[in-house]
Amino acid sequence: MPMKKNISYIFLKRFLSSIILLFVLLSLVFILVRLAPGDPILRYISPELSQDLRQEIIEQFALNRPLIEQYYNFLINLFNGDFGTSFIFRDSVMLVILSHLPITFFLATAAIILQFIFSILITFLIFKRDKKGSTFIETLMLIVYSLPSFVIAIFLVVLFSVWLGVLPTGGLTSSNFSSLSEFGKIFDLAKHLVLPVITISLPGIIVYTKYLTDEVSNTATKNFVLKLRLEGKSPNKIYWKNILRNSIGPLITISGVEFGMLLGGALITEVVFSIPGFGQLSVNAVLNRDYPLVTGTVLFSALFVILSNLFADLIRLIIDKTYYKSFLSNEKN
Amino acid sequence: MKKINLFGFSLLIITFIVIIRFDRLISIIDLTIKFFELCLISIDNAQEQLNFMMLELFFVPIIFLGSIFILFKYKSILVNLRLNFTTLFSIILFAAVIFSPLLITQNPGKINNLRVAKLLPPFSNKMLVEITQKTEVSSFEKLKNKFTSEFETEFMFLADSINQNEYLVYQKNNVINLKERSDMQESEIKVSSLYFILGTDELGRDVFSRLIYGLRFSIFIAVVSVLIAVMIAGTIGFFSGFYSGVVGDFFNKIIDIFLAFPTVFLIIILLALFGNSLALLIMILGITGWMTLAKIIRSEILISKRKDFITADLFLGYSKLRLFFFELLPAILPPVIVNIIFLFVGIIIVESSLSFLGLGVQNEFVTIGGMINDGQKVMSNSWWVITFPCIVLVMCLLVVNSIGRYLEQKVNPKLEK
């Protein structure tokens, strides 16, 4: 079979399983919302109102129809992008979510880029030095890894904002933002985003470095590296040109998972730094019992995770030939 | 430091606790004896007095003697272990958890007089004024009030200073003249000093006591959630690994679906829809944490199944249950225990994050995440409210993590150090 056809076949299979997963997720959300305690009508009207009005609302929301029909309507509405109306914002859930997404998207992208750069650099440092030098970095990494992200965030705020007073404690813009010049605006935004980006990317940097060091130490023992060393090439050049390229595969898969989680899951960082992003929106939705908004945020974040997983797998399939082969051998089993 | 063994260190800690908290230990024993006396007089009256905090206090002497007994029973193991970072802090944290009713200086939920005790810095010292009526109040109730009261009463309150000759009590700008009270004739004043080792928070609650109870409560939540997760993971992992064919595939697919599911959102939607009661939070943490463990149990069972001793047992005609409990389970247990410890760490992190976001259990319970959340509001002017919970949480996570890694190396000698 030609190779191209195989790749599209594998991709189609991944795509279909993603769609099935999304479908399961939608059904679960529907079931959970239906199972939730309390009369759904009471969320809209108070119990003192007349029975006629109650009946009218039941008719209006089609709550007297069989469950299957309600489920069908639920799916149809979702595919039309109609998530309902948010209680707190008094606006379409879709619009509310879309207006909160850009800043989160920016944070996630910046974090992923930082994570890639720093993990590659740290791995290089560990690779360059021998065992003794790298133990310090590894202990430090283990300590940081066992910290919850809100502790990291608080530590950074105390260090840079309260003690040193260099950076702002939170928010997105200063109070005098509108009076600043164009350049000043960008500088002000950047100043507010430094700490959140560090907080978000720090745990990921460590996870990436862990995987990358394992892969690099694995690749470094391979025969082709030995051959290159015998040819007299410098170790640094071999690291950047040969070892890194052969070990970066797993990182792409992990970064797919990470990116999806970051898009919906930077809850704590956004709350600590009071950034009006997607994470804070979903926390607020839960705290205010805004059910349409909760459903919307959960579905969106699940969609992010599933889609970014899918794309990361696709990218890795194209880049990494061994991964592609392992996929094929799995198919035969 | 490496010359001290764990047995000696544990004894040292216990003696230290006894010396420091001797008066509290004595009054706890006193309370227990008085309670039993009350039981003999009228059992209904005693039942009315009983609450959860009292029960805890009654167990203190038993736990105390029990821990000394266990310490001497496992002396041979403990003598051979040396003191290092992990063991030092694990013993300190463990002691804080089991002796917590003895260690605290105040009921952790007690809201002190805000005039005196709002946001006190660490190592503050205030006067505790007790006005005891000679005849009326029975001694048992007085003792009980001392341990479990949640608010200041007019018979026991805090003060900045006191002038005992002229019966004047100073509370910042407020001066109370005790002579004006109608009941002063038949009462006497007792003044003792109360230390707030780690300061107080915004509501005048003692940070040290809250910290110890919060640590214990967070660990309790994590332990129960881990038990739930282990039960689910054990069942599904067993079915997916032990049975080949359709049954195994079906359960494997279930694990895969849940693995691909973004757990944070599952937790959030469950909390949003069903409220955040304690039992529900524990259930949710258990339900959302079992997937990786199930996958590991499955792969361990798959590896062990191919080994020769299992094949031999199969040919000997043992039943599948016996095969699982007596042959497979001991073989897969060590790696699974290591992963249970890492799961424990993960659940502590998730729980404290949820409490931090305000999505955890309600205010009546103290958790470390909730304390950090409280501290964040007053972070800029009083550092101690947030710093100590953070330190304890990080210590706890580091200790459990390093115990996990230590066991991992023991279980898997091939693993690089």
Side-chain angles (χ1 to χ4, degrees):
Chain A
M1 241 192 277
M3 199 159 146
K4 277 243 164 169
K5 201 177 173 185
N6 269 336
I7 279 197
S8 57
Y9 166 69
I10 292 167
F11 177 64
L12 201 70
K13 207 171 168 230
R14 280 289 280 109
F15 186 69
L16 277 178
S17 68
S18 298
I19 284 184
I20 290 170
L21 190 64
L22 196 65
F23 192 71
V24 170
L25 194 121
L26 288 176
S27 316
L28 199 73
V29 168
F30 178 76
I31 293 167
L32 283 176
V33 172
R34 292 297 311 189
L35 271 180
D39 193 349
I41 296 148
L42 293 185
R43 291 175 204 151
Y44 296 93
I45 59 166
S46 70
E48 288 95 38
L49 289 173
S50 70
Q51 284 295 314
D52 291 344
L53 188 65
R54 185 192 161 85
Q55 210 55 45
E56 200 178 300
I57 283 179
I58 288 180
E59 289 280 329
Q60 205 179 339
F61 285 94
L63 284 171
N64 51 355
R65 304 274 168 75
L67 264 184
I68 301 286
E69 201 183 321
Q70 285 184 37
Y71 180 56
Y72 175 74
N73 283 338
F74 171 74
L75 288 183
I76 292 290
N77 281 342
L78 287 190
F79 279 111
N80 291 334
D82 179 11
F83 288 79
T85 312
S86 159
F87 298 167
I88 39 176
F89 288 91
R90 306 267 165 207
D91 204 352
S92 156
V93 167
M94 192 74 174
L95 287 178
V96 172
I97 289 176
L98 285 182
S99 70
H100 282 77
L101 265 183
I103 184 70
T104 306
F105 191 78
F106 172 77
L107 279 180
T109 321
I112 286 285
I113 291 168
L114 272 187
Q115 282 167 352
F116 260 98
I117 293 173
F118 275 96
S119 59
I120 287 170
L121 284 179
I122 294 173
T123 313
F124 180 61
L125 277 181
I126 292 175
F127 174 76
K128 272 271 284 185
R129 296 183 197 175
D130 285 333
K131 282 254 141 127
K132 279 173 194 167
S134 62
T135 42
F136 172 70
I137 301 177
E138 277 172 0
T139 339
L140 196 72
M141 271 167 35
L142 275 170
I143 290 173
V144 177
Y145 182 60
S146 45
L147 299 180
S149 57
F150 63 91
V151 173
I152 298 174
I154 288 166
F155 176 75
L156 288 174
V157 168
V158 169
L159 187 66
F160 288 104
S161 309
V162 180
W163 285 355
L164 298 177
V166 189
L167 295 166
T169 46
L172 205 54
T173 52
S174 304
S175 48
N176 59 346
F177 185 69
S178 49
S179 65
L180 291 170
S181 64
E182 283 300 307
F183 181 74
K185 274 182 182 172
I186 293 172
F187 183 69
D188 190 56
L189 261 178
K191 222 168 127 182
H192 280 84
L193 286 175
V194 171
L195 291 184
V197 168
I198 293 175
T199 314
I200 293 178
S201 48
L202 212 53
I205 288 176
I206 287 153
V207 175
Y208 282 30
T209 314
K210 192 91 192 114
Y211 274 92
L212 201 59
T213 38
D214 282 356
E215 280 295 311
V216 162
S217 59
N218 235 342
T219 320
T221 55
K222 293 261 168 72
N223 285 338
F224 75 89
V225 180
L226 200 66
K227 187 209 161 225
L228 287 171
R229 291 282 286 135
L230 284 174
E231 279 176 1
K233 282 191 177 154
S234 78
N236 289 1
K237 214 170 181 183
I238 295 174
Y239 174 79
W240 290 110
K241 271 200 89 172
N242 304 86
I243 295 179
L244 197 60
R245 277 191 181 188
N246 281 293
S247 343
I248 210 149
L251 232 62
I252 295 168
T253 312
I254 307 162
S255 71
V257 181
E258 179 86 10
F259 191 66
M261 294 302 269
L262 283 181
L263 275 182
L267 309 171
I268 288 152
T269 316
E270 285 183 7
V271 170
V272 173
F273 293 104
S274 51
I275 293 169
F278 186 75
Q280 202 178 34
L281 181 73
S282 43
V283 173
N284 279 340
V286 176
L287 286 177
N288 294 313
R289 299 277 183 274
D290 187 346
Y291 294 96
L293 196 55
V294 169
T295 319
T297 48
V298 166
L299 287 181
F300 257 82
S301 44
L303 200 68
F304 291 146
V305 172
I306 291 168
L307 278 184
S308 54
N309 268 341
L310 185 68
F311 278 114
D313 253 14
L314 181 69
I315 292 170
R316 197 174 165 195
L317 270 178
I318 293 167
I319 290 179
D320 196 346
K321 292 286 181 291
T322 49
Y323 186 61
Y324 169 70
K325 275 176 193 160
S326 79
F327 234 104
L328 280 189
S329 63
N330 269 340
E331 291 289 304
K332 275 167 201 162
N333 282 340
Chain B
M1 194 163 135
K2 295 228 158 135
K3 280 178 187 168
I4 310 167
N5 66 49
L6 281 197
F7 177 72
F9 184 70
S10 310
L11 269 188
L12 196 77
I13 291 273
I14 288 181
T15 5
F16 182 72
I17 291 173
V18 170
I19 291 168
I20 295 280
R21 310 297 299 158
F22 190 70
D23 52 339
R24 194 177 167 93
L25 185 63
I26 292 295
S27 44
I28 286 174
I29 292 170
D30 194 20
L31 184 80
T32 319
I33 292 168
K34 289 217 168 77
F35 182 74
F36 279 112
E37 278 172 4
L38 199 71
C39 279
L40 289 179
I41 298 164
S42 76
I43 201 103
D44 289 337
N45 195 4
Q47 258 178 359
E48 270 176 31
Q49 299 284 348
L50 203 65
N51 58 26
F52 183 69
M53 271 206 88
M54 298 273 290
L55 266 179
E56 248 175 19
L57 291 172
F58 295 155
F59 275 106
V60 167
I62 300 169
I63 290 173
F64 203 79
L65 293 175
S67 61
I68 292 174
F69 173 72
I70 287 172
L71 205 62
F72 275 94
K73 200 179 174 195
Y74 294 101
K75 190 183 170 185
S76 54
I77 301 171
L78 288 171
V79 163
N80 290 324
L81 289 170
R82 297 286 144 192
L83 200 64
N84 56 28
F85 171 82
T86 314
T87 49
L88 174 80
F89 283 103
S90 57
I91 282 181
I92 290 176
L93 291 177
F94 194 66
V97 168
I98 56 172
F99 297 133
S100 43
L102 185 63
L103 283 169
I104 58 172
T105 51
Q106 251 191 351
N107 180 359
K110 184 175 179 183
I111 296 168
N112 288 312
N113 191 338
L114 289 185
R115 240 188 242 122
V116 183
K118 188 184 181 184
L119 291 173
L120 290 175
F123 298 106
S124 303
N125 175 16
K126 294 287 166 192
M127 297 286 172
L128 183 69
V129 182
E130 283 176 75
I131 297 172
T132 49
Q133 282 167 307
K134 287 163 194 164
T135 48
E136 283 174 29
V137 181
S138 77
S139 188
F140 172 77
E141 275 177 8
K142 194 196 101 193
L143 262 177
K144 189 201 157 195
N145 249 337
K146 191 176 171 187
F147 281 117
T148 59
S149 71
E150 295 215 343
F151 295 99
E152 285 195 343
T153 56
E154 51 180 326
F155 301 111
M156 193 165 76
F157 49 86
L158 279 177
D160 285 322
S161 58
I162 180 166
N163 187 342
Q164 239 165 333
N165 296 330
E166 301 188 2
Y167 292 94
L168 288 177
V169 175
Y170 298 97
Q171 292 180 332
K172 221 170 185 177
N173 304 323
N174 189 26
V175 184
I176 303 174
N177 191 348
L178 290 179
K179 271 183 183 167
E180 284 169 10
R181 288 170 66 135
S182 55
D183 55 351
M184 272 321 282
Q185 291 302 323
E186 63 263 22
S187 317
E188 57 186 22
I189 305 172
K190 209 178 113 193
V191 180
S192 52
S193 63
L194 188 64
Y195 284 92
F196 298 101
I197 307 170
L198 302 182
T200 57
D201 67 0
E202 212 178 8
L203 293 173
R205 297 174 295 195
D206 184 26
V207 171
F208 177 71
S209 308
R210 283 177 73 72
L211 197 54
I212 284 179
Y213 263 61
L215 175 71
R216 198 176 66 153
F217 198 67
S218 295
I219 286 176
F220 166 76
I221 291 179
V223 165
V224 182
S225 316
V226 164
L227 283 182
I228 293 172
V230 166
M231 276 195 285
I232 302 174
T235 324
I236 293 183
F238 166 71
F239 278 115
S240 65
F242 199 66
Y243 292 98
S244 44
V246 184
V247 181
D249 279 351
F250 173 70
F251 280 101
N252 191 27
K253 273 281 171 294
I254 288 183
I255 301 175
D256 278 345
I257 285 177
F258 272 93
L259 260 182
F261 216 80
T263 39
V264 185
F265 318 117
L266 194 63
I267 293 175
I268 282 183
I269 195 168
L270 283 171
L271 283 175
L273 293 176
F274 296 94
N276 43 2
S277 70
L278 174 63
L280 203 90
L281 183 80
I282 290 174
M283 283 293 287
I284 289 172
L285 289 176
I287 288 169
T288 49
W290 57 272
M291 287 81 83
T292 39
L293 191 67
K295 207 76 184 165
I296 285 158
I297 290 176
R298 180 186 127 88
S299 65
E300 287 294 330
I301 289 180
L302 281 181
I303 293 167
S304 302
K305 237 168 71 175
R306 297 202 198 97
K307 296 221 169 111
D308 289 343
F309 64 92
I310 297 289
T311 324
D313 284 344
L314 270 178
F315 281 119
L316 281 171
Y318 287 144
S319 74
K320 287 207 161 171
L321 270 182
R322 197 213 127 99
L323 206 66
F324 179 70
F325 280 108
F326 292 96
E327 310 291 342
L328 262 180
L329 202 58
I332 67 165
L333 210 50
V336 169
I337 283 176
V338 170
N339 279 289
I340 287 173
I341 288 174
F342 288 132
L343 180 68
F344 181 73
V345 173
I347 284 184
I348 288 182
I349 292 182
V350 172
E351 188 272 322
S352 55
S353 309
L354 284 176
S355 308
F356 177 72
L357 290 177
L359 302 173
V361 287
Q362 293 102 333
N363 284 332
E364 55 194 296
F365 301 102
V366 195
T367 58
I368 289 197
M371 289 184 70
I372 296 174
N373 187 16
D374 290 342
Q376 207 207 350
K377 292 165 199 156
V378 290
M379 189 165 65
S380 49
N381 52 6
S382 38
W383 53 272
W384 55 90
V385 187
I386 195 166
T387 313
F388 295 115
C390 278
I391 291 173
V392 168
L393 180 64
V394 169
M395 278 300 158
C396 181
L397 294 175
L398 278 180
V399 162
V400 182
N401 239 337
S402 54
I403 289 174
R405 267 186 290 122
Y406 172 78
L407 287 178
E408 199 177 20
Q409 277 166 18
K410 287 273 166 192
V411 167
N412 192 355
K414 273 184 276 178
L415 209 71
E416 271 184 273
K417 220 184 171 183

